Every structure is written in structure tokens, then in C-alpha cells.
Amino acid sequence: MSEYILCELAGATYAIPSIAVRYVEMIEQITPVPNAPPAVEGIVLSRGQVIPALSLRARFGFAPQPHTLRTRLVVVASGERVVGLIVDTAREFARIDAAAISPPPAAISGLSGSYLEGVATLGQRLALLLRLDEVLKITDSLAPDAGPDEGERDHGILQPTEER
């Protein structure tokens, strides 16, 4: 049985492995960063650390929505990276049995399936289990259309400091 933080995003439930979640907090001031990929709303000062704030709505191609009192920053660590994921709300913790998890449907594997580890059935609802490493790979998949040098640009905002 694995533990997850459940988040709501565009009417769907997403599950983030709790082992990767450092903490969840309200959204405060986000400072935009010039030339950042569209999904990176900016940087935030969180518990004394400056971290990038990644909008999962933008990352997954959903329409933007103004932040509300329910909007949360889920601060996750993946390898050396620490990133804040902006979600519509995050209020639940769940233990999910491996038997309740199935692979993502083949029909979506080419669309958003790379972000998904699987789909879990939680009572009457479904939870999409996120593959964090894929979600955080923004330098390849979300670079703005900037012409022939696009593939060579490295926004680097989600890269560990040691790799620079």
C-alpha cells in the first residue's frame, strides 16, 4: 500500500506520491521569471527557499484559472529538484492498494500518458497517479516556440543548482 496526497485539478483528482511531498501551503506572492516556460508561473519564497512554481493547469494544457483561497502549492522534491506544484486544491491523504491501480489507458499514452503512473479507483472516483519525473521535465516539452535555437535553450529553472 502506497501513500499519496490527492489534489484536484480541472475537476479531476490527481495523486502525488507522499514520499515526494515536502509540504502543502497556500499560494502567496509569485514573482514572474522572464523567458520561463509557460507552465512556470514564476518563483516563490517558501520557508526561506526560492523555488520555481509550476502550474499543473498549464503543464497539462487546461485553461488558466485565477488563484483562490483553495489554491495550493504542493512542494515536491524529485532527485535534487524542489518545485512547487500549483493545484486547484489539495486536502486529502490516501493510502492506495496496488490492486486498485491500473496502467493508464493505451488511448491516452501518446497524449498525457507519460505523466501518468497509473489510474486508481477510490470508491466511486478515479485518481490519476502522477509520474513526477515526467511532470517536471519542462525544458524539453514546454519550451516556448522560439525559433531554430529552441531545442538548444535550457531554461534551467527546474534543474538542480549543482548542474549549472
Side-chain angles (χ1 to χ4, degrees):
M1 196 164 288
S2 300
E3 300 172 339
Y4 295 88
I5 300 295
L6 302 182
C7 306
E8 299 294 324
L9 189 68
T13 302
Y14 291 84
I16 300 172
S18 64
I19 195 165
V21 177
R22 289 190 169 182
Y23 52 89
V24 178
E25 64 183 15
M26 293 182 71
I27 296 284
E28 293 188 18
Q29 178 68 38
I30 298 176
T31 302
V33 176
N35 299 319
V40 177
E41 285 195 19
I43 54 175
V44 297
L45 179 61
S46 177
R47 299 187 182 185
Q49 184 178 13
V50 176
I51 60 172
L54 177 67
S55 168
L56 285 188
R57 278 186 163 271
R59 183 71 172 112
F60 296 157
F62 296 126
Q65 175 177 301
H67 296 168
T68 68
L69 291 175
R70 298 182 66 193
T71 305
R72 292 292 182 265
L73 185 71
V74 180
V75 178
V76 298
S78 177
E80 299 282 326
R81 294 179 284 193
V82 176
V83 178
L85 303 176
I86 301 170
V87 298
D88 293 350
T89 186
R91 296 185 303 164
E92 291 182 70
F93 171 85
R95 289 189 174 100
I96 301 175
D97 189 357
I101 301 172
S102 55
I108 65 167
S109 64
L111 302 173
S112 60
S114 63
Y115 302 143
L116 300 179
E117 187 75 38
V119 179
T121 303
L122 305 173
Q124 296 298 313
R125 66 181 171 158
L126 298 176
L128 305 172
L129 281 60
L130 291 179
R131 184 177 290 149
L132 274 183
D133 288 341
E134 291 296 323
V135 172
L136 300 180
K137 284 183 183 174
I138 67 163
T139 56
D140 295 335
S141 63
L142 289 181
D145 295 328
D149 295 333
E150 175 192 0
E152 298 175 4
R153 293 187 346 180
D154 178 11
H155 296 281
I157 196 159
L158 296 182
Q159 300 302 314
T161 305
E162 293 78 28
E163 291 183 6
R164 290 185 181 174

